[in-house]
Amino acid sequence: MNTLVVHNSIVKLRPHYSLRGNDLYFLASTRPIKNCIESEAALFSRLANAPDGIALSSLDEDELQQFHSIIDCEFADIVEPLNPASERHLVVVEPHMDDAILSVGGQLLLRKGKQRITILSVFGISNYTSYVELKRPFLDHKEVTRLRTAESVLAASKVGAQFQSLDLHDAPLRLLPHDQWSESGLSEQVRMTRGFLGSYPIPHIVQGVAHELRRALNDLDPDEIWIPMGLGHHVDHRTCRLACLRILASAQGKLGEIPIRIYEDLPYSQAPHRKQILHAFETVGTKLDLKTEDISDVMDEKQKAVAVFASQFKPSSMAPRLLKAASEVAKEEGYLTAGERSYSIQRPFCIPSEIELAVDRESLLKIRSELEGFAAKIDGHKRLNILVLASGVFGSISEVTTALSTVLPETMVTINVISANQQDISLRQLGNGWLKCVPETSLLGKLIIAEECCHIGRPTIIVLWGAQQSSFLKRAFLKMLGVSRPLLVASSLSDVFALWEEIASPSVSDSKISDRTASITPQVGERP
């Protein structure tokens, strides 16, 4: 490897590695990733004790060779100083810490050193690493957030950018507060999270994000802004997209005039959903101009920057997905090997309805239609029963509670959750009602389901997954309930109240959103 000494360049150990004795470990792994000889251990120890890095200019030739050997193995990185040739400021808004590098890393590398760049991450407090999918305990949200922030700062520097976070909780921590995550319940918590991640954006959460995002953008004073397209199912990507669009559509002054690009979320981009979103914008008269860039010369550098996020995925498994997306653009545009795609938004612009942008558009239209009919039937009723079966998606208790108080402020609501988790019975007040959780196998759980048949005439929402494919007994149970009362059946209570809140408050002015951030912002002292 050629010596890469640049004035003021430093070398940093990647934040997911640590030295224990003479061995190098990855995160919470119990098996070393490298058995070091004494000189290597001394080198890693030196890096570990220098969190701000070690200046390459301070090293002699032998030391440089040692450092380059660990850089070649991607245990450490050379970080060059940020001295952009222009103060023109590009701000790239990303939902999570890694999305910008994954999606537009090549385009940022083409601008490296030419202009000021800031990556602004919206949902910056997290307990998620790839260990969660393996059901392995590494759940301390403060430790994980520090780790992911360090990865983001390092990866941003590799593409010539600075990193900043809004410090809002991501979806898993909005679903369950950090102190409710545990090794013993991790399988059920992962199941609950997967259901919630595909939820419809809840309006008051979008409003809170928009409020925080506007404040950050006013401070950053960008000359250009890039925002995510919101491809795929993830509620955080969809929430971020909608918050950005609302801010920019109504912005005054400089923020209302600067160029906007909307970029494809990689590796989640699929042609059918992308075309659906483009058609939705076209339908409301908003013009999106395709912008592609040839990143063939920097694709290797992009892959190296992506590899910094090793706490989130195996770089070896992510690389083929990114290469496939890049090669598809290259083939369409006649580039050598790799390209990235984005779209500029022509001002002024209108925002399509969120349902029209959603990958699950058809099912959401059906839910909304049924919900409108249900809401009309129960107008004037003072009580509502909700029964969430084990297969259904409840969502975030705090988000559902806030939505309930918005759409049914005068209604007494009883929610019974029949949980697959073998937990103790719990009862809690929920705004203007009560929430009871009982294990699916308990006698009380069976009694609650049987008792539901007795509440003749009382409006009821049943939450279960795949109602049409349910057993004969479940279908008979639902049919009987539908005859005796107003009934709504849905797979996700979170979706029901997100859509209900949208129907009840279709246009909440920005002046009203500053008090809507409590459920997404960290409590005092929560910032890791």
Side-chain angles (χ1 to χ4, degrees), residues 425-440:
I425 296 169
S426 64
L427 180 68
R428 60 182 289 182
Q429 191 164 5
L430 188 71
N432 51 330
W434 293 91
L435 170 68
K436 182 187 291 182
C437 296
V438 298
E440 184 178 24

Side-chain angles (χ1 to χ4, degrees), residues 17-38:
Y17 293 118
S18 62
L19 193 68
R20 303 174 207 164
N22 279 354
D23 295 325
L24 194 68
Y25 288 83
F26 177 80
L27 294 183
S29 176
T30 57
R31 291 186 296 179
I33 196 169
K34 181 178 177 60
N35 302 115
C36 303
I37 61 175
E38 189 171 335

Side-chain angles (χ1 to χ4, degrees), residues 5 46 55-67:
V5 179
R46 185 177 172 189
L56 286 178
S57 58
S58 68
L59 306 176
D60 60 31
E61 191 62 31
D62 289 340
E63 290 174 320
L64 279 173
Q65 290 303 318
Q66 280 187 306
F67 275 90

Side-chain angles (χ1 to χ4, degrees), residues 9 37 53 133 147 207-208 314 320 341 350 400 412 414 422 464:
S9 290
I37 61 175
E133 303 300 330
L147 167 67
Q207 293 157 12
K314 287 186 177 180
R341 186 192 290 116
C350 295
V400 168
M412 175 64 69
T414 300
Q422 300 305 309
L464 79 161

